[in-house]
Amino acid sequence: MRILRSIQHKYCADGSYMKEYELSEPVTAEFFRYLGNFGKVTSMPGMGEGFYSFERKDWFSIKGFAGDSTVEVRFHAKSMDLTSDFLFFLFSSFKKDGVDMETLKRREANLSERVRVHLYGKQG
């Protein structure tokens, strides 16, 4: 699955930066379960059948309906420059026949340290 393009984008009142992305194929419930390896996934049936939300604190959140080929992503404005490439990597790494989780987790760990230092100024 790939992100094809940004359909719309805007700064939000809460300080985040929202982008709606068009995808090469519809997202699935399996995709949101996969995202659970990197943050918190919530199924939100009150918003409609198949609505999911993913959040990675200080990075970004992803919201969307299983079966749709668009998602809404809200970036933490101060870390967006660091985390946007990882977002694209998450989407492109999701394969129905398996995922190289070791590579993803290694990239996530390296980026996590960079984001923490960037936001909070502490190393180690």
Side-chain angles (χ1 to χ4, degrees), residues 6 28-29 56 93 107 120:
S6 175
T28 61
R56 173 68 187 247
S93 296
R107 280 187 151 185
Y120 304 107

Side-chain angles (χ1 to χ4, degrees), residues 6 8-9 17-21 71-73 75 80:
S6 175
Q8 69 170 318
H9 46 276
Y17 190 74
M18 186 278 295
K19 287 189 173 192
E20 183 179 3
Y21 289 109
V71 291
E72 177 187 290
V73 178
F75 290 94
M80 185 171 129

Side-chain angles (χ1 to χ4, degrees), residues 24-59:
S24 61
E25 59 190 83
V27 292
T28 61
E30 291 80 18
F31 175 74
F32 279 97
R33 281 193 287 278
Y34 152 77
L35 290 178
N37 291 293
F38 306 97
K40 181 181 176 185
V41 173
T42 307
S43 173
M44 304 176 76
M47 298 291 291
E49 187 62 36
F51 185 79
Y52 292 90
S53 175
F54 163 83
E55 181 178 8
R56 173 68 187 247
K57 186 179 183 300
D58 293 334
W59 291 33

Side-chain angles (χ1 to χ4, degrees), residues 4-123:
L4 298 176
R5 66 187 175 108
S6 175
I7 298 169
Q8 69 170 318
H9 46 276
K10 65 181 178 181
Y11 282 101
C12 301
D14 66 359
S16 63
Y17 190 74
M18 186 278 295
K19 287 189 173 192
E20 183 179 3
Y21 289 109
E22 179 182 355
L23 308 172
S24 61
E25 59 190 83
V27 292
T28 61
E30 291 80 18
F31 175 74
F32 279 97
R33 281 193 287 278
Y34 152 77
L35 290 178
N37 291 293
F38 306 97
K40 181 181 176 185
V41 173
T42 307
S43 173
M44 304 176 76
M47 298 291 291
E49 187 62 36
F51 185 79
Y52 292 90
S53 175
F54 163 83
E55 181 178 8
R56 173 68 187 247
K57 186 179 183 300
D58 293 334
W59 291 33
F60 49 76
S61 66
I62 302 170
K63 294 179 182 176
F65 285 94
D68 280 359
S69 58
T70 62
V71 291
E72 177 187 290
V73 178
R74 288 184 184 241
F75 290 94
H76 185 286
K78 291 182 180 178
S79 64
M80 185 171 129
D81 289 343
L82 294 173
T83 60
S84 59
D85 284 345
F86 189 76
L87 173 80
F88 280 78
F89 192 62
L90 276 178
F91 277 88
S92 66
S93 296
F94 178 72
K95 309 274 192 267
K96 292 178 180 150
D97 59 347
V99 175
D100 181 1
M101 197 59 70
E102 184 178 328
T103 299
L104 280 164
K105 294 305 276 182
R106 190 172 43 251
R107 280 187 151 185
E108 175 196 31
N110 289 336
L111 182 57
S112 184
E113 177 66 12
R114 289 178 49 212
V115 169
R116 191 173 56 69
V117 169
H118 180 73
L119 294 178
Y120 304 107
K122 300 175 188 170
Q123 287 189 339

